Amino acid sequence: MSPKPPFPAPLSVLCIDDDTAVLDLFTTSFNRDPDLTVITCSSAVDALDRLKSERVDAIFCDYAMPDMDGITFLREIRSQGNNAFFIICTGRHLARVAIDVLNYGGNYYLQKGITLMDDMQKVIDLVRQN
């Protein structure tokens, strides 16, 4: 067994949401960690374009967006061979969304709300473990 590195490896995180306030929240939260690089996109179409030229370790994606919902986005990136850790974030209390995330190769479901910030840090820790 190799020794654990003293510092976590840098991670690149893509955050996709059509609400700029939510993107600001992600950026503020993740920028507290010097080992995270944060990329934001306000649409799934822009994110698909960005992923053509950049590799990311994790993707936080809103479910309900005007141009493409988060499940469709997940299906598209998986069909392209992108295996980034995928987390869908939604304010909708729909079990179907969580089930679809898992069925289409996603890794995690986060409910938007007052515990979102705590939950995001737990997910980043999970990404680092994987």
Side-chain angles (χ1 to χ4, degrees):
M1 179 179 249
S2 61
K4 187 175 181 179
F7 300 102
L11 291 177
S12 179
V13 178
L14 172 61
C15 302
I16 310 157
D17 201 303
D18 58 317
D19 184 340
T20 56
V22 173
L23 290 178
D24 290 345
L25 182 68
F26 277 113
T27 302
T28 300
S29 175
F30 289 145
N31 276 339
R32 292 181 189 144
D33 187 334
D35 295 319
L36 287 178
T37 300
V38 182
I39 302 164
T40 61
C41 290
S42 58
S43 80
V45 172
D46 289 345
L48 286 172
D49 191 47
R50 194 82 182 254
L51 288 171
K52 290 176 184 174
S53 61
E54 296 189 50
R55 187 194 70 76
V56 297
D57 298 297
I59 299 170
F60 285 80
C61 183
D62 186 24
Y63 170 71
M65 296 180 286
D67 61 345
M68 179 185 307
D69 69 55
I71 300 300
T72 304
F73 177 81
L74 169 62
R75 293 176 70 183
E76 180 63 28
I77 66 166
R78 291 299 191 243
S79 74
Q80 296 175 7
N82 186 315
N83 292 318
F85 197 92
F86 188 90
I87 307 97
I88 201 146
C89 305
T90 183
R92 299 174 187 220
H93 296 280
L94 300 175
R96 174 184 53 82
V97 174
I99 291 167
D100 284 349
V101 167
L102 297 176
N103 284 339
Y104 293 114
N107 303 97
Y108 212 84
Y109 169 91
L110 284 179
Q111 185 69 45
K112 288 182 181 177
I114 59 172
T115 64
L116 180 62
M117 300 307 292
D118 293 334
D119 293 340
M120 286 188 333
Q121 187 54 54
K122 291 175 191 172
V123 172
I124 289 297
D125 293 343
L126 184 61
V127 171
R128 281 201 170 103
Q129 292 172 11
N130 290 298

